[in-house]
Amino acid sequence: MKKTPYLLFLACLFLTLKISAQSPNFCAEMLEKAKIAIKNRDYSRSRDYCEAILPLCSEYSDRLTKVLEEVNLAIEGEKRKANEEEAKAKAALKQLGIEKAEADLLRQKAEESARIAQEKTIEAEKQAEKARLALLNLQKALYEIALRTVRDAQNQIYHLDYEEALATLKSAVALNVAQKEIGDAMLEIVFFYAETGHVDRANGVLDTAAWLIEKNLTGSRPLNSTESARKAIQILNSDRLAFLDARYFPVMLEISGGTYALGSESGDEGPRHSVTLSPYKMAKTETTCWQYNLFCEAKRIPKPERPGWGFDGDNPVVNVSWKDAIEYTKWLNEHEKPEKAKSGSTTSGINLWQEGFRLPTEAEWEFAARANSDSTYAGGNDLSNVAWYGNNSGNRTQPVAKKKPNAYGLFDMSGNVWEWCWDWYSKEYFTKIVATQETNPRGPEKGSNRVLHGGSWFNLSYGCRVSSRTNIDPRDVYNYNGFRVAKGN
């Protein structure tokens, strides 16, 4: 059925040719059309023309046969070319398939390599994070070790062992962490050496401290005096210098003076009497072991006898006589105003009642302790809040300035240690004051014992009252006696 249209076309063509054959140029025209069809590569049409006119144009049989041969050759060439192209196409497809397979394999390998690389990167990042955390933990551990070493050195300083403290701090330098903390701790040793006259020893320690704190001391080196050391510490850490001054020297508070009733009607505390005092200054705390030890090292004199609990820097110094206390005040005056001080004199060349350090008079002590109050103890009526005494001291001195101060800001005026006063003791002296209405009384002109006030760590409440007083030989020392300094104003 599929061939019917083509056969019908040939039949129509044959009839058309038979009718047209009557034309004298018919055969030549048809031959030309067959050739044109060859040029147009329409080989089927050219062959159809030739086969159709061959019975009608016998005289053209040779030429038509030649055209048919040319057509067949062309068709064969086209077939061969088509086969070659097909073969090339198949080869190309095959090659393409191979290349695609290779590309797929390469892609898979690349993807696998990328996956492995990613896994390695993730693992490397994990290892790097572990290493970073390990380094941080190491640095933290070293920092903690350094801080613990600094605390060890501070504890050695607390027990007045500065040489051991320096050795401890030097061992911490190699850790290469917490350098500012180590440097700041070293500044205390620089301060101690300089204030005790060992400026040469302070030089090397100061260089290390400056390097650790990372500040330049150009123009401040080498140290040649206590003052030059203080200036260097001021440059490195001014707050540290202020802290050390407050630790190693008395902090003096203004007492305005005035008229007030002192004493009591009990025993040698009476009669209760009115006293008028000029303004003066009183140390904020009792003289500590840190402060007194600085004096001993500076003067090259022995330390007091060590109490059973040892020397703790912030505890009040004990086992000091009245004369020891006076020598300490003389040294303070020499330190503060060396141009006016003269060794060997009780007054050190300074008017003690106007400008110098000294022991407070008994009247000054009680006036400062009362602080314009009628409370039983210095700072209030609850002794446990304001004092270390027999019921809470643990049978020893305790750090100063840990209890509640009185209204003047003075600590431990009740309890901790009995405090030496300037005055000679006389049982009848208060009666004399009542009679004379003396201003700024300084006690009897002579006597055998000196007065102490305030009670101590072993006393019960009665001994810690602001009016409580006792007296002993000024040469005697006990582990419950200490002192605080006053100053003229």
Side-chain angles (χ1 to χ4, degrees):
M1 293 297 293
K2 291 181 179 180
K3 292 183 179 180
T4 302
Y6 179 67
L7 292 175
L8 182 60
F9 162 73
L10 290 177
C12 291
L13 175 62
F14 179 76
L15 290 174
T16 302
L17 292 174
K18 188 171 183 181
I19 294 170
S20 301
Q22 303 300 322
S23 171
N25 297 321
F26 167 73
C27 291
E29 290 174 358
M30 293 305 295
L31 179 61
E32 187 61 28
K33 286 182 179 181
K35 290 179 178 181
I36 291 171
I38 291 174
K39 288 181 180 180
N40 293 332
R41 302 179 70 179
D42 191 355
Y43 304 117
S44 296
R45 186 177 294 277
S46 177
R47 182 172 54 193
D48 291 340
Y49 281 142
C50 291
E51 289 177 349
I53 65 172
L54 186 58
L56 302 176
C57 303
S58 56
E59 70 274 16
Y60 282 87
S61 60
D62 292 339
R63 283 182 281 184
L64 290 171
T65 300
K66 188 175 181 180
V67 170
L68 285 172
E69 289 175 355
E70 187 176 346
V71 167
N72 289 332
L73 285 173
I75 289 173
E76 288 298 325
E78 288 293 326
K79 285 182 179 180
R80 187 169 57 254
K81 187 175 181 180
N83 290 335
E84 289 175 355
E85 292 295 332
E86 182 181 3
K88 287 181 180 180
K90 288 180 178 179
L93 287 173
K94 183 178 180 181
Q95 183 62 32
L96 184 62
I98 294 172
E99 290 176 355
K100 183 177 182 302
E102 291 177 349
D104 290 343
L105 182 60
L106 288 173
R107 186 184 68 254
Q108 291 174 1
K109 288 182 177 180
E111 290 174 350
E112 180 67 11
S113 297
R115 183 187 64 78
I116 294 172
Q118 186 177 21
E119 289 177 353
K120 288 182 177 180
T121 299
I122 293 172
E123 182 62 24
E125 289 174 350
K126 288 181 180 178
Q127 295 300 322
E129 180 64 12
K130 287 182 180 179
R132 187 184 68 82
L133 292 175
L135 180 59
L136 287 176
N137 288 334
L138 176 60
Q139 290 175 334
K140 182 178 179 180
L142 290 175
Y143 189 78
E144 289 299 323
I145 292 171
L147 292 184
R148 187 163 59 247
T149 305
V150 169
R151 289 193 293 271
D152 290 343
Q154 290 171 338
N155 187 56
Q156 289 162 336
I157 290 173
Y158 185 71
H159 295 294
L160 313 183
D161 197 343
Y162 293 86
E163 293 296 328
E164 284 296 321
L166 178 58
T168 299
L169 290 172
K170 284 182 176 179
S171 71
V173 174
L175 297 175
N176 202 33
V177 292
Q179 293 183 322
K180 186 178 186 305
E181 290 85 349
I182 299 169
D184 284 342
M186 282 187 167
L187 290 181
E188 183 162 2
I189 297 175
V190 174
F191 181 95
F192 177 79
Y193 283 160
E195 293 291 349
T196 56
H198 297 292
V199 177
D200 55 331
R201 300 175 71 182
N203 267 305
V205 184
L206 180 64
D207 287 337
T208 303
W211 174 72
L212 291 168
I213 297 172
E214 297 182 347
K215 284 192 177 181
N216 192 345
L217 284 177
T218 303
S220 300
R221 306 286 294 107
L223 303 179
N224 52 25
S225 67
T226 299
E227 188 58 32
S228 65
R230 292 179 62 85
K231 288 180 179 178
I233 297 173
Q234 176 77 20
I235 292 171
L236 294 176
N237 190 335
S238 58
D239 290 341
R240 186 69 171 161
L241 179 60
F243 169 83
L244 294 172
D245 274 335
R247 169 174 284 186
Y248 287 92
F249 293 100
V251 175
M252 306 303 294
L253 302 181
E254 298 280 351
I255 308 297
S256 60
T259 301
Y260 204 75
L262 304 180
S264 75
E265 300 302 331
S266 175
D268 65 351
E269 298 171 9
R272 191 161 170 79
H273 52 285
S274 179
V275 170
T276 299
L277 297 174
S278 300
Y280 62 102
K281 295 178 181 177
M282 197 78 161
K284 185 177 182 179
T285 69
E286 295 154 330
T287 300
T288 66
C289 291
W290 270 322
Q291 293 167 351
Y292 196 80
N293 179 66
L294 191 74
F295 153 68
C296 293
E297 290 291 337
K299 299 296 287 185
R300 311 293 191 267
I301 60 175
K303 296 180 181 65
E305 180 184 351
R306 181 187 294 269
W309 51 85
F311 287 127
D312 292 346
D314 60 357
N315 280 221
V317 67
V318 293
N319 291 328
V320 287
S321 68
W322 182 90
K323 187 176 185 301
D324 292 333
I326 292 297
E327 290 300 317
Y328 176 76
T329 62
K330 287 167 60 178
W331 174 74
L332 286 178
N333 289 322
E334 293 167 7
H335 183 277
E336 183 178 61
K337 297 181 179 180
E339 73 284 355
K340 297 184 70 173
K342 296 178 181 178
S343 298
S345 168
T346 300
T347 60
S348 299
I350 295 172
N351 188 326
L352 297 182
W353 309 105
Q354 292 182 4
E355 60 179 329
F357 288 98
R358 54 181 171 78
L359 289 177
T361 65
E362 185 174 15
E364 287 174 335
W365 191 98
E366 189 175 340
F367 185 91
R370 289 187 180 278
N372 293 318
S373 169
D374 287 326
S375 61
T376 304
Y377 312 107
N381 291 316
D382 187 342
L383 185 58
S384 62
N385 283 340
V386 299
W388 297 109
Y389 72 114
N391 286 350
N392 67 2
S393 66
N395 295 319
R396 56 160 294 171
T397 60
Q398 293 294 331
V400 300
K402 297 299 182 183
K403 292 294 185 177
K404 177 185 174 184
N406 71 3
Y408 285 159
L410 302 173
F411 291 89
D412 303 299
M413 294 293 282
S414 288
N416 221 354
V417 293
W418 285 98
E419 299 180 16
W420 284 110
C421 294
W422 177 270
D423 306 35
W424 289 106
Y425 172 75
S426 171
K427 186 175 182 179
E428 295 79 22
Y429 183 65
F430 290 165
T431 302
K432 176 185 175 183
I433 292 179
V434 172
T436 63
Q437 294 292 306
E438 186 178 351
T439 298
N440 296 322
R442 300 176 187 174
E445 293 183 1
K446 59 183 180 178
S448 58
N449 288 355
R450 296 281 184 174
V451 175
L452 301 96
H453 264 275
S456 74
W457 54 266
F458 82 90
N459 289 103
L460 296 179
S461 57
Y462 187 81
C464 296
R465 295 173 301 119
V466 290
S467 58
S468 293
R469 62 199 297 252
T470 190
N471 65 96
I472 61 173
D473 188 305
R475 297 167 294 183
D476 288 348
V477 297
Y478 297 97
N479 65 2
Y480 47 78
N481 289 350
F483 67 98
R484 80 176 66 217
V485 299
K487 191 178 185 185
N489 199 27

